[in-house]
Each structure stands twice: as C-alpha cells, then as structure tokens.
Amino acid sequence: MDSTLFDLTGKVALVTGAGGGLGNAISNGLAAHGATVIVSDIDLTVCDAVADSIRRQGGIAHALGCDLADPVAINQLVTDALALCGRVDVLVCNAGIQGPAGSLAAVSDDDWEQVMNINLRSAQRLTALLIPAMAERGDGSVILMASIAALRGNKAIGLYGLSKAALAQLARNLTVEWGPSGVRVNAIAPGLIRTPLATALIDNRAFMERRLAATPLRRVGEPEEIAGVVIMLASRAGGFIAGQTLVVDGGTLISDGG
C-alpha cells in the first residue's frame, strides 16, 4: 500500500465555515496531512484563532473572513486566496445555516433567500470561480457539505433539507461537467455530529433516546470522523470517487429504528 495515499503536501485547500466544529476539524485535518489551508468564516477573529492553532502545530494556514451571503465578498475571497497562495486545489464548502424550524408553508421569502444564498448559491459561486483553473491544471477536488436531511423527509427543517439536497445534485452536475478535465466533486451527508450547533439536540434526553435507538452504532459522530472523509476525498485515496454523496451517520439512514 502506498503510504502517501492520503498525503496532501503541496496542495492548497480553501475551507468555508472553518470556525465551527466541523470546519475547525476539517481545517486541522487537512493541514495535518500536509495541505496549506485557507481558513474562511464570517468572523475573521475566529478564522485567525483556527489558523493560529494550525500554525502552532506546525501546519501552514491563512485566515480570510467572508460573508457568503454577499456575492462581492465571495469574489474578494477568491481574489485574496489566489493572491496568497496562487491557486486552490481543494475546495471545501462547509459553511451553512439551518434556517427556520417548522412547516415549509411558514417559510418567508427572506428565510428562503438567506438559506439558499448561504447554503447553496455561495457554493455554486465558489465552484464557478475556482473549478475552471483546476480543470486547466487537470486536477482538483471539491467537497460540498450536505446532510442526511437531504436524503429523507423532515417536518422540522425542510428548507435546510432542500438546500442540502440541492448541494448533492450540484456535486453530480459539476462532476459530469468537469470530470473529463480531472476535477472531482463530491458531497458528504453527516448525521448527528458532536458540534456546538448540535449541543441542544445532544442535551435533549428524549431526542437522543430516539436517535440512538435508530442508529446502529448507538452513538453520536465526532467532527474528526467527518474530517477523515474530507481528507480521503481531497487526496489520491479518493481519486476514483466522483459525483457521490457519502453518508456518514453511524447507520441512521439504513436503520428500521429497532
């Protein structure tokens, strides 16, 4: 077995939503495997903290703030990333928001626009700006963060699920379009992962009893377990995986709940 299969030395990775639980783990994981990581989030102070942590551990990282709801800011993020590193080889579109909870019938136009702009349109814009240069080099990996909410019905966070389902389709469309030029685009669909955003659910005993009963592994996932899949997809280890949505949920989706 080639010991460099997961090696990302010499690669430049841009991670959005890098200040959150998943984004932090992903950024640290990519750096630990040799990538230069551009850490991006809406809060530059948080980005700086993540980048500093990576550098203290011997990695290479840069911090760039960006409000992904703003198309001008997205253009500037790409401009600044290219000015810093010259290229982006790995794009991880991890940023996202849940949006309103409740019936889809109650979703306002403002809610719709905000969730779709941040969760979906920002990923489309970033890929449109960065994939053509990857294609010119004949190599690149894009990872879109979907959710198991994209793969089953949900009465509580339907708008979120719609946006995440669209990301899975975006991975398929972009793979068909750019795969012949060596660019792979995939999505990851996490289940319940132990992040700050999931704290309220994890602290809800009744919910957790139901969820763990429906999860064959009988536990919550850890951020590093999502980061591991990102590293695989970014590296040669995932070199023949394209246009897929990889479910990382401890078996929740395949369970009958018994």
Side-chain angles (χ1 to χ4, degrees):
M1 177 69 70
D2 186 346
S3 62
T4 66
L5 203 56
F6 294 87
D7 186 19
L8 295 169
T9 301
K11 300 292 186 181
V12 177
L14 170 59
V15 181
T16 68
L22 282 186
N24 194 331
I26 290 166
S27 298
N28 275 275
L30 290 169
H33 283 75
T36 294
V37 182
I38 301 169
V39 175
S40 183
D41 208 304
I42 192 169
D43 187 336
L44 182 57
T45 302
V46 173
C47 295
D48 283 331
V50 174
D52 286 344
S53 174
I54 289 171
R55 288 191 287 264
R56 285 196 301 271
Q57 297 175 69
I60 304 172
H62 305 281
L64 291 175
C66 181
D67 179 0
L68 292 178
D70 181 356
V72 174
I74 293 174
N75 290 342
Q76 190 62 52
L77 171 62
V78 170
T79 298
D80 292 344
L82 296 178
L84 278 170
C85 299
R87 69 186 193 282
V88 171
D89 304 292
V90 178
L91 170 63
V92 184
C93 293
N94 170 69
I97 60 172
Q98 176 184 291
S103 170
L104 278 171
V107 171
S108 70
D109 288 345
D110 287 343
D111 291 333
W112 183 278
E113 185 172 359
Q114 183 185 40
V115 171
M116 289 299 175
N117 277 345
I118 294 174
N119 292 5
L120 176 61
R121 192 170 294 173
S122 68
Q124 187 278 324
R125 285 180 172 133
L126 283 168
T127 55
L129 291 168
L130 290 170
I131 285 181
M134 294 179 182
E136 286 184 10
R137 295 190 298 271
D139 181 52
S141 177
V142 176
I143 298 118
L144 309 176
M145 199 58 64
S147 166
I148 61 170
L151 303 172
R152 63 182 185 179
N154 194 306
K155 64 182 179 182
I157 50 172
L159 183 57
Y160 174 82
L162 284 172
S163 69
K164 294 298 186 175
L167 284 175
Q169 183 62 31
L170 181 62
R172 291 186 283 268
N173 289 349
L174 291 176
T175 293
V176 171
E177 184 175 356
W178 295 103
S181 298
V183 180
R184 297 178 297 108
V185 185
N186 292 285
I188 299 174
L192 184 60
I193 308 297
R194 194 183 309 280
T195 66
L197 288 178
T199 298
L201 290 177
I202 293 172
D203 289 345
N204 184 327
R205 183 174 178 179
F207 169 83
M208 288 302 294
E209 287 178 355
R210 294 193 302 272
R211 172 54 68 90
L212 295 185
T215 301
L217 293 190
R218 297 294 192 267
R219 67 175 178 86
V220 172
E222 302 297 334
E224 292 76 15
E225 292 171 317
I226 303 300
V229 179
V230 171
I231 292 160
M232 183 265 291
L233 290 173
S235 67
R236 289 193 303 111
F240 204 51
I241 302 174
Q244 302 302 308
T245 298
L246 303 188
V247 178
V248 188
D249 71 344
T252 303
L253 276 185
I254 60 88
S255 174
D256 63 1

